[in-house]
Amino acid sequence: LSIAGLEALIEELGLDTPIPDFPQSSPLRSPIDIYRAYLADTASAVLQCDRHLTYEAVQSANIRDNSDLALVLPKLKLKSDKPKELAKECLVKFKPTPLLQLPLPDGVHLRFIFSTSTLPRLILPYIDDRKSEYGHNPSLALGDVSAPNPIPKKVVVEFSSPNLASEFTAAHLRSTILGAQIANLHESMGWDVVRLNYLGDWGKELGLLAVGWGRFGSEEAFQKGPMGHLLEVYEKISELFRPEKEASKRARDERQDTATIETRGIFAERDAFFKRMEEHEPDAVDLWKRIRDVSVGYYSRAYARLDIEFDEFSGESQVSPESIEEVESILREKGVYEESGGSWIIDFSKHGPKSLGVSVLRGRTGSTSYLLRDIAAIFDRDKRYSFDKMIYVVTSEQDVHFSKVFQAVRYMGRGDLADKLEHVGFAKPQGLSPQLGKVHLLGDIIDQSVSAVQATLGAKHDTPFQIGNTEAAANVLGISALVAQDTLHKRANGYSFNTKSLCSLEGESGPSLQASYAKLSAKINESDLDGVQLADIDLEYLQEDPWTEVIRLMAQYPDITHAAYRTHEPSVILAYLFRLIEELASCFDDADEDDEDEGEGEGPGGPEETRGTSLKVPEPPEAILAQAMLYKIARQVVDNGMSILGLTPVIT
Ligand code: ARG
């Protein structure tokens, strides 16, 4: 649908003026913006106030209040002797239009309801034309729109980022799910997206793993199950290392010198190995590379099960020595880099903000820290991608870390770069392991979720849909269960893993969404829609409840994706999908009731007279066809939402 196509459609609805133009309005993105534009235009004319002020005063109303748009009168700064009467005074000035019914007063608001006779005729063709693009807004990320071929802006989304040879934690799982969704949302809004995995593949922990490999590593066990074996080695060496680590912590807490403890034993072995890694000694690098390669292979396969593909497996190891040097030299030049007891530090408390304290960038043995690598990585990525924005999807436990990273970039005089960086934090889910059994790696987590779903399906004799307890179905359902459980909660809220609600076929869960989807598909498939176009449908059959409720909700979808995008909150989309499903279910109920009453209807009377009254007669085939078309277009909306969330329908 182009603007021209849209205007033709508008004309058919009986509107004789083209869509009024407002800079804030995108009628090609959101059909509600069409209503907003006409309303603002009319209101500014009849109330004689500034057009743009009026557009700003038009708000989406809560659909539960039974209205669609609200005009907030105080925002119009109208002069009135009797402010209490203002709404009533304004009210009488409106005439009904093809799009909107007469307004209703509501305190300082005027509420407007979409006219149900034009609603299906505007919204359904609109969505049917947009199809999988409905809810997207590819123009949002266009750089210079006056250029002949505007280039989309680039965003780097960094997410998942597990550490090699250690557990894939609940925080990594949430970063994976949320990060992929945030990346998809940006793509749908026209951004050129780079999906980046910043592996924890460098640092002293890798040195420790190598020390462990020297003691407990077995070629044979590694061949059989490399990931499991590496975890085991890491666990064993960590156990052996624990007393030393605790002693050092005690010394630090008592403000005693830690050097004597940290320069011997496993401490010394670990640091020596890591130093050799940093100096690129072949045997050290070889071992590290084997570990890295096997992990990247493993993770790529696990991510593929979630339909996630990274453009780059970067990692702490990949940060270039040049960028590290550049960062250090600029920080030194700016006078914020100091030597302290053999280490190089930034004292944030001196240069502000105070709360960030003191951090080591280069340790006593000369090795780089997590913080230094993170700062330098920004410069690498800036060179490589020249991004317009970079988003880190990492647990809120690292809030302070990212504040330091961004602050350091500012100290370097690169506020321009720091302004492009954003940390999207989230609360960590609880109880992944006990609930899903003993899970240490992403693949295990998925497997456990799949078996949990399999058990639920097995226990249920009559699943509410024709999915069947097959391996493939359980796989899709298990993944949906995991993804939906995470997405049900806003980022700021943690949650406890609960295999029962995760697998439930009722309420708000992945499998229940899939069940509703399957039911919706069944309804569509059992109708005679084959070869039928929307233009063939008599939309008059969709001009009342419950169909209009579904259509009004469908019209909101682009606003929903927009809100999810702006706030990095994909949960908004899932909540919306459950509402849409609920409305659809009431349509099914309505239709089912009609079925039950079949044959009991009285008298002749055409469908026109009896539809919507308590007098039930079998619905004419045209009505049933119109409903099926509505379901089909609604399914498109559900599809679009699911695809952003990373959910694949189990049945189509
Ligand atoms: N590997 C880190 C961890 O598991 C997460 C990395 C987050 N990203 C970053 N740029 N620091 O805690």
Side-chain angles (χ1 to χ4, degrees):
L1 212 66
S2 57
I3 269 282
L6 194 53
E7 309 234 281
L9 183 63
I10 294 286
E11 219 181 293
E12 272 172 45
L13 302 183
L15 284 149
D16 41 19
T17 55
I19 303 173
D21 197 27
F22 288 92
Q24 310 95 313
S25 153
S26 358
L28 289 177
R29 173 192 70 87
S30 155
I32 293 188
D33 272 15
I34 301 173
Y35 288 92
R36 286 190 186 110
Y38 278 107
L39 175 55
D41 194 59
T42 313
S44 84
V46 302
L47 304 177
Q48 294 183 338
C49 37
D50 179 77
R51 286 182 91 235
H52 298 286
L53 208 60
T54 316
Y55 193 90
E56 294 298 327
V58 176
Q59 285 184 353
S60 310
N62 188 343
I63 210 165
R64 300 231 191 262
D65 292 343
N66 223 349
S67 64
D68 297 294
L69 292 174
L71 186 63
V72 186
L73 294 171
K75 284 200 174 183
L76 296 178
K77 306 202 174 74
L78 295 168
K79 298 222 168 29
S80 167
D81 309 334
K82 300 180 214 135
K84 280 194 181 147
E85 309 278 297
L86 186 63
K88 275 185 206 141
E89 269 174 41
C90 296
L91 194 65
V92 294
K93 299 188 178 160
F94 285 86
K95 290 196 200 83
T97 69
L99 289 187
L100 293 164
Q101 302 178 17
L102 279 177
L104 309 160
D106 178 7
V108 295
H109 296 154
L110 291 185
R111 297 203 175 276
F112 290 84
I113 299 179
F114 298 157
S115 154
T116 50
S117 63
T118 49
L119 181 70
R121 288 157 57 208
L122 176 58
I123 303 301
L124 298 182
Y126 191 105
I127 302 175
D128 190 49
D129 174 80
R130 283 275 171 270
K131 296 218 159 56
S132 64
E133 290 285 302
Y134 183 60
H136 294 196
N137 186 10
S139 61
L140 212 62
L142 286 186
D144 179 8
V145 276
S146 60
N149 288 312
I151 300 168
K153 291 195 257 181
K154 186 168 273 182
V155 61
V156 175
V157 184
E158 190 216 278
F159 63 103
S160 197
S161 309
N163 301 323
L164 293 199
S166 27
E167 252 181 292
F168 190 90
T169 63
H172 294 124
L173 179 67
R174 197 161 202 200
S175 167
T176 307
I177 294 171
L178 183 63
Q181 294 168 338
I182 289 175
N184 293 345
L185 268 170
H186 277 75
E187 214 155 56
S188 75
M189 299 297 168
W191 288 81
D192 181 2
V193 179
V194 176
R195 292 171 173 80
L196 190 116
N197 196 324
Y198 184 66
L199 296 172
D201 60 355
W202 205 244
K204 291 183 175 169
E205 291 309 289
L206 270 293
L208 183 65
L209 176 67
V211 173
W213 178 260
R215 303 208 180 166
F216 312 110
S218 139
E219 240 355 285
E220 206 189 317
F222 184 79
Q223 293 302 337
K224 260 196 228 142
M227 296 299 280
H229 183 54
L230 287 175
L231 263 181
E232 194 186 336
V233 166
Y234 185 70
E235 246 163 55
K236 281 187 182 160
I237 192 68
S238 301
E239 192 55 43
L240 213 60
F241 182 48
R242 186 174 310 148
E244 287 184 35
K245 217 173 164 179
E246 282 169 0
S248 140
K249 188 181 178 303
R250 253 193 323 272
R252 197 178 306 266
D253 289 348
E254 290 163 13
R255 302 196 171 279
Q256 282 167 10
D257 186 24
T258 52
T260 45
I261 301 167
E262 294 184 1
T263 48
R264 54 183 87 175
I266 297 179
F267 257 116
E269 280 182 62
R270 176 194 77 171
D271 293 355
F273 195 95
F274 181 51
K275 195 161 196 307
R276 284 176 43 225
M277 280 166 62
E278 290 227 298
E279 284 162 2
H280 295 282
E281 285 196 24
D283 64 324
V285 171
D286 283 352
L287 174 60
W288 164 82
K289 196 168 175 324
R290 271 186 85 188
I291 297 173
R292 188 182 202 272
D293 288 349
V294 80
S295 309
V296 168
Y298 169 86
Y299 275 117
S300 305
R301 286 188 296 278
Y303 293 131
R305 292 176 71 184
L306 300 177
D307 237 344
I308 295 171
E309 203 183 323
F310 284 94
D311 296 290
E312 190 190 342
F313 276 95
S314 144
E316 295 178 44
S317 69
Q318 306 298 304
V319 181
S320 76
E322 296 76 32
S323 289
I324 292 177
E325 215 186 287
E326 189 187 337
V327 168
E328 289 186 287
S329 87
I330 297 178
L331 287 172
R332 204 172 282 129
E333 205 176 281
K334 299 280 178 185
V336 290
Y337 206 36
E338 348 169 4
E339 199 175 349
S340 162
S343 311
W344 282 92
I345 61 155
I346 297 181
D347 186 345
F348 291 94
S349 61
K350 251 197 248 169
H351 309 283
K354 243 192 165 79
S355 58
L356 294 181
V358 180
S359 289
V360 175
L361 272 71
R362 203 177 261 281
R364 201 162 22 214
T365 54
S367 49
T368 58
S369 71
Y370 179 53
L371 178 59
L372 177 55
R373 291 191 289 272
D374 244 331
I375 303 166
I378 295 170
F379 292 85
D380 282 344
R381 296 178 196 176
D382 182 39
K383 279 181 208 122
R384 174 151 187 187
Y385 297 113
S386 44
F387 55 80
D388 299 283
K389 182 159 130 182
M390 177 150 68
I391 296 173
Y392 297 85
V393 186
V394 182
T395 133
S396 298
E397 285 173 354
Q398 297 199 23
D399 279 353
V400 176
H401 169 75
F402 283 103
S403 300
K404 288 177 182 170
V405 173
F406 301 167
Q407 187 57 51
V409 175
R410 290 188 192 281
Y411 288 160
M412 292 171 67
R414 291 301 308 276
D416 62 317
L417 192 53
D419 286 343
K420 297 178 181 172
L421 309 172
E422 188 174 0
H423 171 216
V424 174
F426 55 83
K428 207 162 103 177
Q430 301 295 320
L432 182 62
S433 207
Q435 269 285 328
L436 282 182
K438 239 176 158 262
V439 290
H440 298 296
L441 292 166
L442 179 56
D444 303 337
I445 300 172
I446 301 174
D447 287 342
Q448 289 304 325
S449 173
V450 170
S451 357
V453 165
Q454 243 155 359
T456 315
L457 286 183
K460 275 223 152 193
H461 290 298
D462 56 336
T463 43
F465 50 96
Q466 291 355 89
I467 289 176
N469 195 354
T470 65
E471 185 94 27
N475 206 38
V476 177
L477 288 178
I479 288 165
S480 305
L482 210 53
V483 172
Q485 160 132 309
D486 199 86
T487 313
L488 273 171
H489 305 88
K490 284 209 150 65
R491 288 192 276 126
N493 302 335
Y495 62 91
S496 302
F497 256 87
N498 183 334
T499 26
K500 214 167 158 199
S501 64
L502 179 111
C503 297
S504 168
L505 286 160
E506 279 128 44
E508 300 195 333
S509 74
S512 102
L513 179 71
Q514 292 278 9
S516 307
Y517 188 98
K519 186 163 181 194
L520 182 58
S521 278
K523 289 266 174 205
I524 298 165
N525 294 339
E526 77 197 17
S527 68
D528 289 325
L529 269 186
D530 267 351
V532 179
Q533 303 294 319
L534 178 58
D536 309 330
I537 297 287
D538 187 350
L539 295 178
E540 272 185 35
Y541 290 103
L542 301 175
Q543 290 179 1
E544 53 189 57
D545 268 3
W547 328 112
T548 45
E549 284 306 299
V550 174
I551 301 172
R552 293 160 87 196
L553 206 47
M554 283 159 66
Q556 291 181 3
Y557 179 67
D559 287 354
I560 295 289
T561 53
H562 209 246
Y565 160 77
R566 269 199 334 268
T567 56
H568 308 301
E569 208 64 88
S571 60
V572 171
I573 298 181
L574 187 59
Y576 168 86
L577 291 183
F578 280 119
R579 263 180 71 196
L580 184 56
I581 293 277
E582 197 187 310
E583 286 300 343
L584 283 164
S586 62
C587 294
F588 301 163
D589 290 349
D590 222 65
D592 288 348
E593 264 169 45
D594 290 347
D595 286 352
E596 281 158 26
D597 293 343
E598 213 164 326
E600 287 168 25
E602 294 210 5
E608 285 306 307
E609 284 107 295
T610 47
R611 200 157 32 82
T613 71
S614 57
L615 206 61
K616 296 280 181 185
V617 291
E619 289 186 284
E622 295 85 353
I624 294 177
L625 208 59
Q627 290 160 17
M629 185 57 88
L630 173 67
Y631 298 154
K632 192 173 161 191
I633 297 174
R635 182 176 65 181
Q636 179 73 62
V637 178
V638 180
D639 271 330
N640 295 1
M642 284 176 74
S643 124
I644 293 217
L645 300 180
L647 296 168
T648 318
V650 66
I651 273 187
T652 48

